[in-house]
Amino acid sequence: VVWRLGAEGDFSLVGAGEWFFNQHDASWLVDGSILLYDNGNERPGDTLYSRAVIYKVDEQEMSVRQVWEYRTEVYTPFLGGAQLLHNGNVLVHLGGRPPNAGSVDTKAANVVEVTQTEPPEKVW
């Protein structure tokens, strides 16, 4: 292990943004940024949400800056993913949602394509 990223890691978070909570599906982008899916489990505060997020990593300064995020329409406490597409948009798999009180939610996971604009726009 060369370094660790996150609230208990080796980097300082600079600028606006926040650390991730129960992240996965991380991938290095060609510009040296990291794209990952953040389920948001145990996020401080009263509001739980999930998101795809991009951090710009500076290994010289040991700092990280959040440069983009897409908050999903629903909180997904497990699964999920984010992949950069060739057109620059991000494909986001919203992960798993627990079924409501014993019923089966047939739309428990879905996929959206979003732009990297601010704010992100849903393509489909």
Side-chain angles (χ1 to χ4, degrees), residues 4-96:
R4 296 175 303 138
L5 191 63
E8 302 295 323
D10 303 314
F11 288 78
S12 298
L13 181 65
V14 298
E18 64 178 337
W19 287 116
F20 41 80
F21 298 86
N22 289 49
Q23 78 291 342
H24 53 273
D25 195 27
S27 57
W28 281 107
L29 305 181
V30 294
D31 68 354
S33 298
I34 295 177
L35 168 64
L36 58 87
Y37 190 81
D38 172 16
N39 285 108
N41 299 352
E42 301 179 21
R43 185 181 310 281
D46 295 330
T47 305
L48 291 175
Y49 58 89
S50 302
R51 64 191 179 142
V53 61
I54 298 176
Y55 295 99
K56 182 70 177 169
V57 178
D58 185 336
E59 291 186 84
Q60 298 291 349
E61 297 293 323
M62 296 301 286
S63 65
V64 173
R65 179 180 304 274
Q66 180 183 312
V67 295
W68 178 85
E69 75 171 3
Y70 169 74
R71 292 190 185 187
T72 62
E73 295 171 1
V74 295
Y75 167 63
T76 60
F78 57 95
L79 301 175
Q83 299 292 317
L84 183 66
L85 300 174
H86 291 291
N87 64 3
N89 292 343
V90 178
L91 191 68
V92 182
H93 169 246
L94 274 61

